[in-house]
Amino acid sequence: MKNTVFEKYRDIHKNKRVFLIGNGPSLADTDLDLIKNEISIAMNRIPLIYNKNKSWRPTYYLFSSTNVKPEKPWHLKWKSSVIEAVSEKKTTPFISETLRSHIDPRGVYNNIKWFSSMSEYKPDASGNISEKCFSKNIIDRIDKSGTTMNLALQIAYFMGFNEIVFLGADLGWKKDLATNNDPNHFHKEYTADIPRPYKANNQMRNIHSLAYKIFKERNKDIKFYNASLSTVLDVYPIIDYKDYINNKITYRTDVQKEAKMFWDKNHQFLM
C-alpha cells in the first residue's frame, strides 16, 4: 500500500525552515517557547517536556516505535505520551499503521494520519547503512532504519524545506537497558533500550550524513544547522541557539572540534 496520507504535503513548506526536535538530554535545558511560532517536527515521548514549555507545541508529531506494544514492560508509559501528543490541537500526528491496534483501536483520534508503507533497512554491526535508508518519495515508502529522526528527515525533504535546524540532537548515547534513570534523553523516565551504543551512535550519525548528502544533491544551497545545546553530532555546522533565534549565526567552532573528536572514524557519506 502507498502512503497516500502524505500526498497533500508534497512541497507544502517549500523554501521555508523547520526545526527538527531530537530527544537528547540537552533538550531539557532548551527553551522551546522561543520557536512557538516556527514549524517544527517532534517525536516519541516529546510530551514529557510540555510542562517546561507552555506555549510551544510541535507542528508535526511522528511515531513508529514498538515501545507501545504490550510485550514491552514500559508500553503504557509510552502509550500515554503518544495519546498526549495526538490530543494536542496544534499538532498534526503521523503514526505507523502497524501500531493502530495499540494506540487507537476504537478510532477515537480522527486527526491521526496513519501511514502504511514503512521499510527498515538494518545497519551492519558497526552502524554502517545503505542508501536505501532514505526514501525520496515517501508516498511509495518511508524508511525508519532504527530512528524516528530518519522519518523526520524524509518528511522534511518531501515537504520542501530549505533550512533545517536541529535541537536536542545530541548523540553520544551510553548503554542503558530501559532504566528509570535514562542518561540518553531529556527526561530520566523516558525509558528507552540502548543495548549497543557504539552501533547506535554510528548508525544515527550515518543517517544524518546520508540525509545531508541527498538534500544537497537536490539543492546545494540548502542550509543545515545543529543548534543543540550539547552535542557530538558533527555532520552539520554547530551554532548557538539563542543567537540564531535573534537572526545571528554564531558558529561554535570549539564544540565542533570536540564533537569530531568523539568519533573514531569519519561518517559514511562524507562530502
Side-chain angles (χ1 to χ4, degrees):
M1 293 180 63
K2 289 184 178 290
N3 293 321
T4 54
V5 71
F6 291 128
E7 285 180 344
K8 73 175 186 178
Y9 294 95
R10 187 192 299 272
D11 289 333
I12 194 172
H13 299 301
K14 192 172 181 63
N15 297 326
K16 294 182 180 179
R17 75 175 174 187
V18 63
F19 289 80
L20 302 190
I21 314 299
N23 292 328
S26 75
L27 201 68
D29 299 315
T30 303
D31 185 356
L32 292 172
D33 283 343
L34 294 176
I35 60 165
K36 64 182 180 181
N37 297 319
E38 299 280 349
I39 302 168
S40 60
I41 302 176
M43 58 205 72
N44 297 340
R45 299 201 71 189
I46 192 64
L48 287 173
I49 211 165
Y50 285 179
N51 66 338
K52 284 189 174 183
N53 298 273
K54 302 303 182 184
S55 301
W56 175 82
R57 294 295 182 268
T59 315
Y60 301 102
Y61 170 78
L62 309 180
F63 192 79
S64 63
S65 175
T66 58
N67 280 311
V68 293
K69 291 189 173 183
E71 56 264 33
K72 304 283 189 179
W74 51 84
H75 75 279
L76 291 177
K77 292 181 179 179
W78 274 72
K79 181 179 177 179
S80 69
S81 290
V82 177
I83 296 303
E84 185 174 356
V86 303
S87 299
E88 174 53 58
K89 293 181 180 179
K90 295 179 181 179
T91 302
T92 298
F94 294 107
I95 300 181
S96 173
E97 174 70 39
T98 60
L99 303 171
R100 187 194 288 256
S101 63
H102 305 293
I103 293 170
D104 189 22
R106 296 184 179 88
V108 175
Y109 301 97
N110 296 324
N111 60 320
I112 297 177
K113 314 297 182 184
W114 301 98
F115 59 89
S116 302
S117 180
M118 185 176 76
S119 57
E120 185 150 15
Y121 288 93
K122 302 292 186 180
D124 66 18
S126 298
N128 295 315
I129 63 171
S130 162
E131 291 203 30
K132 293 179 181 179
C133 291
F134 192 103
S135 172
K136 296 178 183 178
N137 185 358
I138 60 174
I139 294 175
D140 288 339
R141 71 171 177 92
I142 192 166
D143 193 85
K144 183 177 180 181
S145 292
T147 171
T148 311
M149 182 59 80
N150 197 33
L151 302 182
L153 286 160
Q154 291 161 87
I155 288 172
Y157 182 91
F158 189 79
M159 289 181 170
F161 292 104
N162 72 347
E163 188 163 335
I164 318 289
V165 187
F166 297 89
L167 293 171
D170 300 354
L171 297 194
W173 285 337
K174 303 174 180 68
K175 183 175 180 177
D176 183 64
L177 302 180
T179 66
N180 287 325
N181 192 28
D182 189 331
N184 298 309
H185 296 89
F186 63 83
H187 195 289
K188 291 300 182 183
E189 295 181 11
Y190 193 98
T191 316
D193 209 2
I194 311 290
R196 294 178 295 279
Y198 180 82
K199 175 185 175 182
N201 277 311
N202 279 308
Q203 177 184 352
M204 278 293 299
R205 187 184 185 217
N206 289 330
I207 287 290
H208 284 282
S209 174
L210 175 58
Y212 184 82
K213 171 181 176 288
I214 290 174
F215 271 93
K216 283 288 188 179
E217 287 172 349
R218 183 174 71 175
N219 176 11
K220 63 180 177 61
D221 295 323
I222 192 168
K223 297 176 181 177
F224 280 90
Y225 299 113
N226 183 0
S228 304
L229 301 190
S230 177
T231 183
V232 295
L233 177 58
D234 63 336
V235 172
Y236 318 109
I238 299 173
I239 63 168
D240 183 270
Y241 172 49
K242 288 189 177 178
D243 280 358
Y244 178 78
I245 294 300
N246 290 313
N247 299 312
K248 178 183 178 183
I249 304 294
T250 302
Y251 294 99
R252 300 172 67 196
T253 53
D254 290 345
V255 176
Q256 191 92 39
K257 290 176 182 176
E258 290 174 8
K260 189 171 184 179
M261 289 174 62
F262 174 84
W263 307 95
D264 61 4
K265 59 184 176 182
N266 289 328
H267 52 80
Q268 231 180 308
F269 303 94
L270 189 68
M271 295 184 68

